[in-house]
Amino acid sequence: MSLVSLWGVASAQPKGMAHIERGTYMPFYSSSGDSVTVEPFFMDKYPVTNADFLAFVKENPEWRKSNVKSIFAEEGYLKHWQGDLNLGPKAEKIRSSPVTNVSWFAARAYAKWKGKRLPTLDEWEYVASANQQKPLASRDKEFVQKILDWYSKPNPDTMPNVGQKKPNYHGVYDMHGLIWEWVQNFNTVFISGASRSDQGELKQFYCAAGSSAATDADKENYAAFLRYSLRGSLEADFSVGNLGFRLAKDIE
């Protein structure tokens, strides 16, 4: 990449976002051994916080707790907030922690409000494959063990603030160890057709019985397996206590 093109990317890079360079990774769901190439894009350095989402509902009252339509969010939507515009007695503690209990519909609406979008599954998994030193660390046993250790811990009563740990190779924080995150096409996980009729394959995966997409059952794959299993069980109106989101943006 020339200095001119580098300057062009830097000058157009939105504040608070990292420039993700073009890269190739091997997705967990691949049954053919084909790698996936991810084109350059921008990704938020941090997950969206409670303070961020509070600003959104202030300007978009249809997404407040008391107003949101049940088709777009189930009953647990923003249940950790005390009211429509009130974060509750722990407000100061959670302002900078990631917002959770938000549906996919709400996350997508927030993204549109910010002029951005949710990352695709491949974009998210590609960025999440990086440790601090290299872009592809999914076979690094120490890296994978840290992820698995977090998966085994119960959710804290109060989520930590975003950005407390070091960023990964791309300059992105909290891809692991804080929350699960919505992606744009979460509901395509383990689906080979145009509908969700082939959930039998997902159930096999979830029970660790193996399937056509599982080439092995080693520890390196298990961390990704847990993420894909969760995504395959979600519906767009779900609001989960440790599920939040971050945003992405195309490079024009």
Side-chain angles (χ1 to χ4, degrees), residues 183-232:
V183 294
Q184 179 66 31
N185 52 335
F186 75 94
N187 56 353
T188 61
V189 173
F190 297 136
I191 298 173
S192 58
S195 71
R196 298 181 70 89
S197 60
D198 48 358
Q199 286 294 305
E201 186 172 332
L202 173 60
K203 290 177 181 178
Q204 275 191 311
F205 243 130
Y206 194 79
C207 296
S211 74
S212 61
T215 55
D216 57 62
D218 58 17
K219 183 181 289 187
E220 288 83 354
N221 268 348
Y222 194 63
F225 155 69
L226 290 173
R227 294 195 295 275
Y228 281 75
S229 295
L230 173 70
R231 290 176 182 138

Side-chain angles (χ1 to χ4, degrees), residues 63 72-73 102-110 118-119 182-187 235-239 243:
W63 289 102
F72 295 135
V102 288
S103 67
W104 177 83
F105 289 117
R108 191 176 64 165
Y110 177 93
L118 294 175
W182 284 111
V183 294
Q184 179 66 31
N185 52 335
F186 75 94
N187 56 353
E235 298 289 347
D237 65 333
F238 281 13
S239 301
L243 177 60

Side-chain angles (χ1 to χ4, degrees), residues 146-182:
K146 287 180 180 180
I147 299 173
L148 292 175
D149 288 345
W150 172 66
Y151 288 170
S152 67
K153 294 178 182 178
N155 296 333
D157 292 334
T158 302
M159 287 286 180
N161 289 348
V162 302
Q164 297 300 295
K165 298 180 180 179
K166 293 181 179 180
N168 69 10
Y169 174 88
H170 303 287
V172 177
Y173 295 74
D174 304 320
M175 292 298 286
H176 303 288
L178 191 58
I179 54 170
W180 304 86
E181 297 183 11
W182 284 111

